[in-house]
Structure formats: C-alpha cells, structure tokens
Amino acid sequence: MKTVEHVILENLLYNDEYSRRVVPFLKDEYFPNRIEKILYQTISQFILKYNNLPTKEAVVIDIDKSKSTTEDEYKGVIELMDTLEKKDKLPDFDWLITETEEFCKDKAVYNAIMESIHIIDGKSSTKTENAIPSILSEALAVSFDTNIGHDYIEDSDERYDFYHKVEKRVPFDLDFFNTITNGGTPQKTLNIVMAGTGVGKSLFMCHHAANCLTQNLNVLYITCEMAEERIAERIDANLMDITMDNLKDLPKQMYDSKLNTKTAGITGKLIIKEYPTATANSNHFRILLDELNIKKKFKPDIIFIDYLNICASARLKNGGNINTYQYVKSIAEELRGMAVEYNVPVWSATQTNRTGFSSSDVGLEDTSESFGLPATADFMVALIATEELDEQNQVLVKQLKNRYNDTVVNRKFILGINRAKMKLSDVKRDEQQGLVQSNQTIASTLGSGFNGENFEDKFKVDKTSKDKFTNWNI
C-alpha cells in the first residue's frame, strides 16, 4: 500500500506540472524516513538545477556519487524507486495539490510541536520558550500560495482601482504630519519617532494617543519604561489642557468634572498596559491583544509601544553570539509583523546614539544600537531640541524615512511643544522660515487653505493684490 509520501515522490518523478507547482513548498524535514528523504533531496536538487524532471538513471547516478549515502541507503532508494511507476493516466491535479498541501501542513505542525518540546526540555541553545508561539503560528500558516503575480497588462483595471481606493489611515491633529503622511498613518505599518533622552519621544506618543482617543478610536498603549499611571497622567494633562503640577493639586470633584467634560461623547477606549523593561516581546503583546478581545471586546485601531529598544525579541535570546544589530532588527521585524497580522499601525520610539544626542541635524546614521531598525520601519522621524528652540518652546521635526510620501518635500518643520501639558501644536507660518534644506510646502490640510505650493514662493506674492488672494481661500 502506497503512502502519501510515495504518491508525492512518484509524481515528482513523472508529473512535470505537479513538480513545478509543489517543489517550492516541500521541505526535507517533511520526510522523516531517511530513504524517502534522500530520494526527495535528489529529485528536487535535479529539478532546481536543470529545470527538468530527472530520469531514474540520473537519480541513481546522483545518489551513487553522494558521499553521505551508505550502501544500505543506496539499496533502499533503488528498491523504493522500483515501486514508483509512471501512470498512463495521471491523478486529478487539484486533488493531488490539495493532498500535498495537507501533507505539508500536518508535517509542519508535527515538526513544530517536536521542536517546542525540544525547547521546553532546554535542549535549544538559541531559542527560548517565548519562541514557541511563533514557531506554532508559522507551522499553522503553511499553505500553497495560489497567487502567481500581478499581470501588468491584464490586471490594469485592478491596479487602477487600487490607485483610487481610499486607504484607511489614522490622522494627526498636526498639519505637517498629515501632509507628509498623505493624511495619516496607514494600517499594517511600523512607525518610529527618534530623539535623544528627554527630548520628547514619550510626549509625542502620549499626545498622538490622546488625539486618537478623541477621534473615537480604540488605542492600546504598551509601556516598558514608565508605570501605567505615569502614562495616564500625561494623557490627562494633554486632554484637560492643564500642567501636570496643577493636575496633582486638583480636587477630586474638579478632576472628575474636567475628565467627564473632555471624554463626553467619546466612544473609543484607551488601554494602558505596563511590562517590565526588556522582558516583553511580540508574543506577549499578541496574548494581550487576544485577551482584550475576549474579555473586553476590545480591538485596537492603533498601538503605541514605549519603546522598541527595551522590548525583547521572541525569536532571539539576547547575549551570546547575538549582536545588537541582529537583536534590535529582530524586534522591529516582529513588531511590524504584528502590525500586519492585526491590521493596525504601530508606533514606537528609539534613542539617538551619542553623536546624535548632541547633533542639531540628526540622520539615520544616528540611530542607536541597530541600523536594522530604520531598514525595517515604514516611517521614521527625528525630534531635535536645541537651546534656541527650547527658549521658544519649539521642537524641530526631520523626516528620516517615509514610505508614504517624498522625504525631500517638507524634510524639516517646527512644532510648538508644551512639556508641562504634554502637548504638541502647529506654529505660525513665519516661524517655519529659515530652516536649512527644509523644502517646505504648505499643507493642504492647513486651516488657511494653502494647497501645497512652495512656502517661500507663496510669501513672495504681492499681497496687496486682492485678486492674488482669491485662490488662497484666506
């Protein structure tokens, strides 16, 4: 009686269409029997090398030349091939593909369970128990991808519809940020704000979290640095427009009154969850998301993680042969994968290195610990503080990476910052002038109605002419 493995091997030898379809998805590890594994390896290597099916003679010669095959294994492969026959009528192709896909899924899950047991027994030197959920998830996700690509000519209608599809985004309450992101942060993205210590990374995320809540969005704020109450305090100060010092002096009745006034009519929720520094990874966050969905029917529209560098990796164990480049890049990839899996934008932060901390023109090269982070992120901006800006209660924003728009346009811009109230704000247009290499344009979202013309050119217009103001909607 032939097994599924025998049917697969038989069709790999004699069914060209089938072989080309399944070879990219089959793996050596799916064949635990040593004889079957040797035959599969020999056939697949021939197909990949020569782009054609091997003959029995070619398989025999290749196995005979192999130095890793024993005499008994050689005889076993010959006997196995004698049972594999070329059929006059091939099996139904769809049935064959379905059975092969089920075979791959079953073997992947079985191997994942065995690897998990191996990790639990402490026999893995590179993976911890935190990697088990990820291993099982990957095994359960095994499938034959039926999509063979986008046909440039035939699929033009689909492409046109994609161009005009309104993508769901989470907007800002800051004009320039809406401009450089084309209206807000898209779903399935990893977005990073970079700054030195004390410049305003957490302030930015708390401000944006408060803004998202007022848009009736569900917000999840994960903190690995500060206590849950400290994050809530900052959001209180932002929403109530009150300094954190005065917040502490508010009588309970007045506090309740202000909070009720600011949250009246808000249908979204804000959940703040604290994890110890350097202990939580994307798998912990996934468990949290699943529990929130089950217990509170809460699904976030946006996630903030404060901050990326003090998270842990689910795949790699820190220390040993793992350097910071690999480790931080792994964390970034895992968080971006989580953003894709849960269909939300993820915001996080990172520090500048020592050079960047004292620089007034931060670049991607000033990212601390790992350049793999900006390589993975979809959007990245730097917050820059100087003594002159601090005196004006302002902060400089510089685009570092942007998959949503052109980083050359609006490369730099100024925001107002109120550290006591944990708020950011737009500033007057004339305060943007003088920025070197900023290439600013006026945002179409500005209340003044400017529509994207170059900033400096706009203000060179003769403003005494009423006709020239007509199209400005001022």
Side-chain angles (χ1 to χ4, degrees), residues 198-395:
V199 174
K201 299 185 299 296
S202 295
L203 185 152
F204 173 87
M205 289 199 289
C206 286
H207 174 91
H208 192 31
N211 164 55
C212 293
L213 181 62
T214 60
Q215 297 179 49
N216 297 318
L217 301 177
N218 284 337
V219 182
L220 175 61
Y221 197 113
I222 296 171
T223 171
C224 299
E225 185 177 35
M226 289 185 286
E228 296 169 358
E229 295 78 10
R230 291 299 181 192
I231 298 298
E233 178 186 27
R234 291 170 172 230
I235 293 174
D236 269 343
N238 182 289
L239 285 175
M240 297 181 189
D241 196 27
I242 186 174
T243 67
M244 288 199 292
D245 288 339
N246 290 338
L247 180 64
K248 297 173 184 177
D249 297 331
L250 278 181
K252 180 67 165 62
Q253 185 177 359
M254 188 176 293
Y255 171 82
D256 290 340
S257 176
K258 280 183 170 290
L259 184 62
N260 291 336
T261 301
K262 292 296 181 180
T263 58
I266 291 179
T267 56
K269 289 185 178 180
L270 168 63
I271 303 292
I272 305 169
K273 173 61 178 174
E274 176 188 1
Y275 287 96
T277 301
T279 60
N281 59 51
S282 59
N283 287 333
H284 293 95
F285 305 153
R286 283 185 173 90
I287 293 170
L288 173 64
L289 287 163
D290 293 340
E291 287 186 349
L292 286 171
N293 185 25
I294 294 170
K295 296 177 181 178
K296 291 195 170 188
K297 304 298 180 184
F298 175 90
K299 290 185 178 180
D301 297 301
I302 187 168
I303 299 174
F304 296 87
I305 300 174
D306 193 2
Y307 62 96
L308 187 144
N309 295 66
I310 54 177
C311 294
S313 170
R315 295 177 294 172
L316 302 179
K317 185 186 295 184
N318 201 4
N321 296 326
I322 306 300
N323 57 43
T324 56
Y325 174 88
Q326 293 174 301
Y327 194 71
V328 174
K329 186 174 189 293
S330 176
I331 296 171
E333 290 170 345
E334 291 160 15
L335 294 185
R336 192 178 187 283
M338 186 180 73
V340 173
E341 181 180 346
Y342 287 89
N343 197 32
V344 294
V346 170
W347 272 95
S348 193
T350 188
Q351 299 270 19
T352 57
N353 57 23
R354 186 179 301 177
T355 304
F357 181 76
S358 57
S359 174
S360 60
D361 192 20
V362 174
L364 285 176
E365 69 279 3
D366 296 310
T367 307
S368 68
E369 297 187 301
S370 175
F371 199 76
L373 171 55
T376 306
D378 297 282
F379 178 72
M380 193 165 176
V381 293
L383 302 181
I384 303 169
T386 65
E387 290 183 2
E388 293 79 6
L389 288 169
D390 287 342
E391 290 175 1
Q392 300 295 322
N393 293 319
Q394 294 176 344
V395 64

Side-chain angles (χ1 to χ4, degrees), residues 400-464:
L400 300 178
K401 180 180 180 180
N402 192 342
R403 286 177 175 163
Y404 322 137
N405 213 332
D406 187 357
T407 56
V408 174
V409 181
N410 296 312
R411 184 183 294 276
K412 297 178 184 177
F413 53 92
I414 297 290
L415 291 178
I417 185 168
N418 189 328
R419 300 183 189 280
K421 294 183 179 181
M422 292 290 143
K423 291 178 81 73
L424 295 168
S425 60
D426 295 311
V427 300
K428 295 178 181 179
R429 301 185 209 102
D430 55 0
E431 295 183 50
Q432 302 285 348
Q433 290 179 318
L435 292 181
V436 179
Q437 297 179 339
S438 64
N439 195 24
Q440 282 194 4
T441 61
I442 298 302
S444 60
T445 54
L446 284 175
S448 59
F450 287 114
N451 56 8
E453 289 101 336
N454 183 276
F455 186 92
E456 293 181 356
D457 290 343
K458 177 63 70 177
F459 280 86
K460 288 178 182 177
V461 175
D462 180 9
K463 298 181 182 179
T464 59

